[in-house]
Amino acid sequence: MKTILCSLFFPISCATAADLWFSGGQEIEVTGEFLSADDIDVQSYRTSYSGSDGPWTIEAGIGHTRYQETYQPVLFGTNEKLNEETWQGDLSITREWSDEWSGTLTLSAYEGFADYRSIWISEYYRQLFGAFPAYEEADPKGRSIGAEATWNYLPGSGSANISLNYGRDQIAPGWSFNPAAGVPEAGAEWLNTVSVGATAEQAITPWLKTELALTGRHTTDRKTRVGIRNSWAATAGPVAFRLSGGYSEEPPSFDASYASAVIEWNFLPQWSAHIGYRAYQDSGEIQTSGFDALAPPVDSTELFGGILWDRGDLAVSAGVGLLSTDYEALSEDNEFFGNLYRDRDWLTFRFGISYQF
């Protein structure tokens, strides 16, 4: 930590001190993302560090997300201003066994709500059942461990990897009233998730490359969700193009598709700008009971752009976007959540600063 702070404020004079820890390259990066609508604001910050020494590379990061939203009930309850904070941390260690093979072990954890929807839903159940002694406040958190093996079958132009991850999450549960017992009862609170993935990246020509990714994920009390994603990147002089698309499905009735396109222009030696478009749609979360808070089908689009200044060791970027979400009408079973799943127009903003030494 002393070396990290030293490098942030005195990068040149600290080069010798840094070598005591890592003989290879090191990098510090700070990023921020902001998502804002008329009734919801999300601020997310992350600081990460990576350093290499011989065949070893260590990466560590810590993140903080702040949620501010207005809870507006549909039929009963009171309006509330909700404020929540979530902390995240992760650590990964990579070992290069040869020019062709490497392996990575990753640990991660978080404390707090995973998204703004969970906060809104948790407040709904608190207002509905909070007066009962059996009701307990939500305390979401999660831990995960993952491993990955990478094969550089054509070093510099072709690679493949497989990954395996296990996560255990304590979520904010749904509640229902048990008339026989006369008390509210919580739904599933702990979820175990096992996910696997396989990715292959190949350079077709010096100016064109592609990546194919396959994923599978199984969560407690649900069927396995599988997905496929294909990306292409091409360069033509100072202009680069990136296209990506994917599809996923989960029995018995969930499916989602998404696509993105980005054009990047390197208009000066240290300056580049980009503009892009993303689209996403799904068939709605799978209903597991007659009354629940799951989302209906949604279509979303985002038009975004940004700029990057990169002098080699120091890089600064910023971007802004306009995101639109369009939900289908809710059924009578979950119309209580109409103010959560309503159409919104969002403003997004992102920034990043990285320093290599």
Side-chain angles (χ1 to χ4, degrees), residues 93-215:
I93 302 174
T94 299
R95 173 70 155 88
E96 292 187 5
W97 303 103
S98 67
D99 292 339
E100 295 182 348
W101 290 95
S102 64
T104 301
L105 177 67
T106 302
L107 303 173
S108 63
Y110 70 90
E111 295 277 346
F113 288 92
D115 53 48
Y116 71 86
R117 294 193 312 166
S118 300
I119 299 171
W120 201 102
I121 294 169
S122 181
E123 176 63 17
Y124 168 82
Y125 287 118
R126 187 194 69 81
Q127 291 199 14
L128 188 61
F129 297 118
F132 289 86
Y135 176 82
E136 297 180 359
E137 292 282 350
D139 183 25
K141 62 175 72 72
R143 309 288 185 266
S144 68
I145 182 172
E148 179 178 305
T150 300
W151 174 35
N152 293 303
Y153 56 86
L154 290 175
S157 61
S159 65
N161 70 62
I162 58 173
S163 61
L164 176 64
N165 183 276
Y166 169 76
R168 182 167 172 81
D169 300 272
Q170 182 178 4
I171 63 172
W175 288 78
S176 61
F177 190 77
N178 184 338
V183 296
E185 295 180 344
E189 186 174 4
W190 287 95
L191 297 179
N192 298 311
T193 301
V194 177
S195 58
V196 296
T199 304
E201 182 177 330
Q202 178 65 55
I204 308 300
T205 70
W207 55 270
L208 178 66
K209 68 177 181 179
T210 184
E211 181 184 75
L212 178 66
L214 304 174
T215 58

Side-chain angles (χ1 to χ4, degrees), residues 73-91:
V74 174
L75 299 178
F76 55 86
T78 59
N79 290 2
E80 292 288 343
K81 295 288 186 179
L82 307 178
N83 294 276
E84 295 288 346
E85 295 185 348
T86 299
W87 289 91
Q88 312 94 19
D90 57 83
L91 172 68

Side-chain angles (χ1 to χ4, degrees), residues 21-26 49-59 92-98 101-105:
W21 294 91
F22 294 99
S23 60
Q26 301 175 73
Y49 168 81
S50 66
S52 61
D53 190 352
W56 296 93
T57 299
I58 294 179
E59 298 176 314
S92 68
I93 302 174
T94 299
R95 173 70 155 88
E96 292 187 5
W97 303 103
S98 67
W101 290 95
S102 64
T104 301
L105 177 67

